[in-house]
Amino acid sequence: MQTQVLSPVFIGRDTELTRLGAALTAADRGEPQAVLIGGEAGVGKTRLTEEFLTAARDAGAVTALGACVEIGADGLPFAPVSTALRALYRTLGAELITAAAGQEAELARLLPELGEKGGLPRDAHDEEGRVRLFELTARLLERLGTARTLVLVVEDLHWADRSTRELLAYLFRSLQRSRVVVAATYRADDIHRRHPLRPFLAETDRLRTVDRIELPRFSHDEVRRQLAAILGTEPDAAVVDQVFTRSDGNPFFVEELACSLGRGCATGISDSLRDLLLVRVEALSDDAQRVVKFVAEGGDTVEYRLLEAICGLDEDRLLDALRTAVGANILLPTDSGDGYRFRHSLVREAVGDDLLPGERSRINRRYAEAVEADPALVRADERAARLASYWYAAHDPARALPAVLHASAEASCRHAYAEQYRLLERALELWDDAPEEVRNRLRPVDHAESYPPREPGAPLDFLDLLAEVTVAARMGGERERAWSVAKRGLKLMERADAPDPLRAAWFWAQRSRLTEDLGRGDGWEELSRARELVRDLPPSAAHADVLARIAGWIMVHKSGTEGIAIARRAVEFARASGAHDTELQARVTLGMLQADGGDVEGGLVQVEDVRRVVAVQPTPPGMISRTYGNLASALEGAGRSTEAVRVVREGKDLVGDTVSHITRSWLLTNEGESLLALGRYEEAAAPLDEAVRLVESVYLRACIEIQRGFRALATGDTEAAARHLAAAAEGLVHDTQPQHAIPLRTLTLSVAAAQGRYADVRRELLAALAAGFPIGTSRYTWPLLLAGATAEADSGQADPAVLDRIRSAARELPRPVPLCEAYALLLDAELARAEGRFDPAPWAAAEQALTGQERPVELAAVRHRHAEALLATGAPDGRDTAGCLLADAHAAASRAGARPLTDHITRLAQRARLPLVHPTTAPAPAFGLTARERDVLRLVADGRTNRQIAETLFISPKTASVHVSNILAKLHVSTRTEAATTAHRLGLFPPPA
């Protein structure tokens, strides 16, 4: 039976095609585009995308199409993206391989053709893996979209697995300058209130880069034109009215009704939608109906050889049946030509719903048995998920449980943790129904991260399964469920005959992490339970991991010598048990705890030793970034900001695109913080803005907003600072880490002071003093006390009790590095000013201490106050000195872009009638150069090379290079020639008499 159903003429949709054409044009200009096409089932989304893809190909674009699959526990992981990439691979071949060079192993998780034979590596759970895979996919598309325009379409997004949705959202946000269009269609009438696509749509609605197109139903005239195109003649008005009324303008229903009209159905138009969808199926031959039923249960697409294996028809009868179904426009051959699919999913759903329960189970069993007998019948990357789905639908727990566990391990290898979690939940459902002998044959496929190993050959038990569910749920974004499963595991062990302290400690450590993530506490109580459980146990990898987690918690929340001892034991236990990654983590933690505890140099050496290891040995990208990020943070805390910038940039270069946006955002935030400390405000904007653009976590965004707030205050944008403060406060509402809480308080009182709200400043300061300052937080506390004292002085009505509280807190505060000593002297000067004492001596002492530090804006502020005190005392030679100080301060503040400070200096100079230029007899500005750096600069000014400098000063060429880099940064120049010119212009090294 041959029945023309598809309209040979594309009806309507002019507006929508125009918008899609505009997206294609913009992409041709190098502006990546994202489009979402929504509409009810049958409204014509597929037909619209087909017309768009045809137009795009005619315009020279390379197109690829992938469809989401309604199969498995939550869809087949990344199925539409894999299909689209496979289409690009067929089209571009070697060019795609070149674009993926160096990252083939990672990208093979989406495109197996790029990987080694033998499947994906069964690596442990990778915190960075999912987003790293997303980043590499985005970069691959950008490279491919350099020479031509790419158009990728994902159909049926309402069936997408969570990983696919998250990948698309990432691409929508992250694609940079490239000629790429990413479009997706979804069935709008299926998106109920709790549908998983709803949050995705809400998120993309906030992105200005995403165009959302909603397809309406056809008008009466469009239905008439569609009928005329299908029937080949102008229909009667009564027929048009009847079809329009029954179809309500839905194009697919119009086609089905037209089919009934064209066949001259005696019963007229069906009253039932289900009957309408099945009317043409029931008119097929028995063989064709049999094939259609099998295809309906096979998934989105079924391979021809698989159909041949399960349908029970010889090849001639099978081909006749397929030819009949295709001729009736019920089935279509796939683009690759090796399988068949339904022309419309509504028909597939209707056929599937019409199957009897026993019939459906029997068909799925046939599928499963055929694939197990001949695995080559389906693609290797789909095999595990499809087998899990077939055996589950066959209602055979004994076969379904092993298949589901194997599919969950495959999902983990693809970093599809949400799908792994769904599959493991299905395994929990099947566990009790599976025979004991089947469960005893199961072996752990992929141990949960750091989970204590069982004895060799031990079968997978229910506790092992709960551990896997806990980790997969956490990494898949289901933290609430992870928390409850961990609780279930602990209760199960409480009732066990033989205690297993290591496994119990592991579950308590998981509960600690989840408790903090969910904002239900700081997690210390849970870690304490874990600590008690492992206290007297011998060294092991699991024991080392628990100790490393405890030391890490102490490092972040309270520091102290206790953490140093625990971190040392973690290092020893990890080394003894061969847990290399845990050892590196613990060593970084140990170094940071040492630095916080006052042994700054020892701590830096410890972390620097780890940096040298991870820089040359194969190491997970997350470990590399943590090492470089913590080293940069420790250097910043020691006042070595220039070195911190160098380290963090080296770390960014080393990991490249192999870390997640979260990790890269931390590195960028480290960079921005140190640039701010160096007074390089304009330069700091770039990494901080990039970090905000990349970041996904509200909590991390809040940390970035703190730094952006400090920058806005320093440059004079108080309104922007207030906005950044509000965003930071909202994101850190449940955070308990002092490294975030103290800077947030500092920004809060600084904004209040800038707005003249001194009562609010005092209230915030007293709250901070009452809360106290844990060990290791002096780098954050000194700026807080300084901001409070400065505000008291600026208020003109300082509270003596508050000043006493500040002095008392300062006496207890450690001064582990010279920068802290300088801050202490500066605090003394501000307190004296708050008490109305204009004494130049404290300011001179603070200036001398800060001169050797990398804090040019703070030094400029001190020189401003020093000059103010000198002018107030009226000392005989004070006026000349004040003029030089103000000139220095004005130059530094102007260079940094610190507008409020620049204005204060200018007004003071105007009141004192002092020029803001150096008299010829005044000493040249030091720019914060150390004595050694001045020696190096003198030789640079003489035209010496690094090797010549090294020979003259008896240092290594590498050390000379580092000194030159620091000098360029402090002089705010980019070349040696500019540095020499600056030195000569300012007379830093006058010629000998």
Side-chain angles (χ1 to χ4, degrees), residues 570-643:
V571 171
E572 293 169 6
F573 283 21
R575 191 170 292 158
S577 57
H580 180 64
D581 290 349
T582 302
E583 179 190 346
L584 293 178
Q585 293 279 6
R587 287 174 63 188
V588 171
T589 301
L590 174 59
M592 297 302 291
L593 285 165
Q594 287 178 296
D596 289 344
D599 182 11
V600 176
E601 287 304 317
L604 287 172
V605 168
Q606 183 75 245
V607 185
E608 175 62 29
D609 286 345
V610 178
R611 186 200 67 79
R612 281 195 288 269
V613 172
V614 303
V616 297
Q617 293 184 3
T619 308
M623 183 65 231
I624 297 174
S625 57
R626 181 183 182 231
T627 303
Y628 277 87
N630 277 273
L631 180 57
S633 179
L635 289 166
E636 177 58 36
R640 294 157 62 174
S641 301
T642 301
E643 195 173 349

Side-chain angles (χ1 to χ4, degrees), residues 181-200:
V181 178
V182 179
T185 69
Y186 64 94
R187 193 184 290 180
D189 49 335
D190 274 1
I191 311 303
H192 52 76
R193 187 168 61 88
R194 294 187 177 181
H195 194 285
L197 188 62
R198 186 174 288 276
F200 171 87

Side-chain angles (χ1 to χ4, degrees), residues 302-310 318 338-340 370 374-378:
V302 181
E303 297 79 358
Y304 170 76
R305 290 187 58 225
L306 182 56
L307 282 174
E308 188 179 27
I310 66 171
L318 176 60
D338 61 352
Y340 293 86
D374 184 0
L377 290 174
V378 299

Side-chain angles (χ1 to χ4, degrees), residues 515-544:
T515 296
E516 194 165 8
D517 287 346
L518 292 168
R520 294 176 179 168
D522 59 15
W524 178 245
E525 180 181 349
E526 291 81 0
L527 275 181
S528 299
R529 298 287 294 272
R531 182 181 180 182
E532 290 303 315
L533 286 165
V534 302
R535 184 179 295 278
D536 299 321
L537 297 181
S540 68
H543 194 165

Side-chain angles (χ1 to χ4, degrees), residues 607-912:
V607 185
E608 175 62 29
D609 286 345
V610 178
R611 186 200 67 79
R612 281 195 288 269
V613 172
V614 303
V616 297
Q617 293 184 3
T619 308
M623 183 65 231
I624 297 174
S625 57
R626 181 183 182 231
T627 303
Y628 277 87
N630 277 273
L631 180 57
S633 179
L635 289 166
E636 177 58 36
R640 294 157 62 174
S641 301
T642 301
E643 195 173 349
V645 171
R646 178 184 60 77
V647 165
V648 78
R649 287 176 175 174
E650 181 181 322
K652 286 195 309 179
D653 291 341
L654 183 62
V655 296
D657 292 339
T658 62
V659 293
S660 69
H661 276 183
I662 294 176
T663 298
R664 188 168 181 82
S665 295
W666 277 124
L667 293 172
L668 289 165
T669 306
N670 286 137
E671 181 182 5
E673 180 185 14
S674 294
L675 289 171
L676 289 177
L678 292 167
R680 293 153 66 175
Y681 297 146
E682 184 174 354
E683 191 177 350
L688 293 176
D689 289 347
E690 183 183 356
V692 166
R693 182 180 62 78
L694 294 177
V695 74
E696 300 171 351
S697 162
V698 173
Y699 154 78
L700 175 51
R701 178 181 291 273
C703 299
I704 302 168
E705 294 291 1
I706 290 176
Q707 300 303 323
R708 298 178 85 198
F710 283 129
R711 180 185 179 278
L713 270 183
T715 56
D717 193 345
T718 305
E719 290 184 4
R723 291 195 301 272
H724 295 311
L725 171 62
E730 181 181 359
L732 296 176
V733 65
H734 296 300
D735 185 66
T736 60
Q737 299 182 38
Q739 62 177 322
H740 304 143
I742 298 174
L744 180 62
R745 286 189 183 277
T746 305
L747 180 60
T748 301
L749 65 86
S750 298
V751 170
Q755 295 174 337
R757 296 183 287 108
Y758 293 108
D760 293 339
V761 173
R762 194 167 293 145
R763 184 164 48 251
E764 188 69 28
L765 176 63
L766 290 174
L769 293 169
F773 309 111
I775 295 173
T777 60
S778 58
R779 63 174 287 193
Y780 308 111
T781 306
W782 282 112
L784 172 71
L785 297 181
L786 275 169
T790 301
E792 285 292 316
D794 290 342
S795 71
Q797 295 179 336
D799 185 333
V802 173
L803 300 183
D804 288 343
R805 293 283 302 278
I806 294 174
R807 281 197 176 92
S808 177
R811 281 194 296 270
E812 301 297 325
L813 203 57
R815 306 175 188 183
V817 294
L819 180 61
C820 292
E821 293 284 0
Y823 280 157
L825 292 171
L826 176 53
L827 181 64
D828 288 341
E830 284 291 5
L831 290 172
R833 183 170 74 94
E835 292 170 339
R837 293 185 283 117
F838 289 93
D839 184 358
W843 294 109
E847 181 192 358
Q848 183 177 0
L850 271 174
T851 297
Q853 303 301 315
E854 297 180 325
R855 295 295 181 270
V857 176
E858 283 93 331
L859 180 59
V862 167
R863 285 174 170 161
H864 165 239
R865 292 302 179 190
H866 188 187
E868 183 181 50
L870 286 170
L871 292 171
T873 58
D877 58 348
R879 183 175 175 81
D880 290 340
T881 304
C884 293
L885 289 170
L886 288 176
D888 278 348
H890 188 270
S894 299
R895 190 162 49 242
R899 285 191 292 272
L901 177 58
T902 304
D903 292 343
H904 289 317
I905 296 168
T906 301
R907 285 195 292 270
L908 178 59
Q910 289 172 344
R911 289 197 304 271

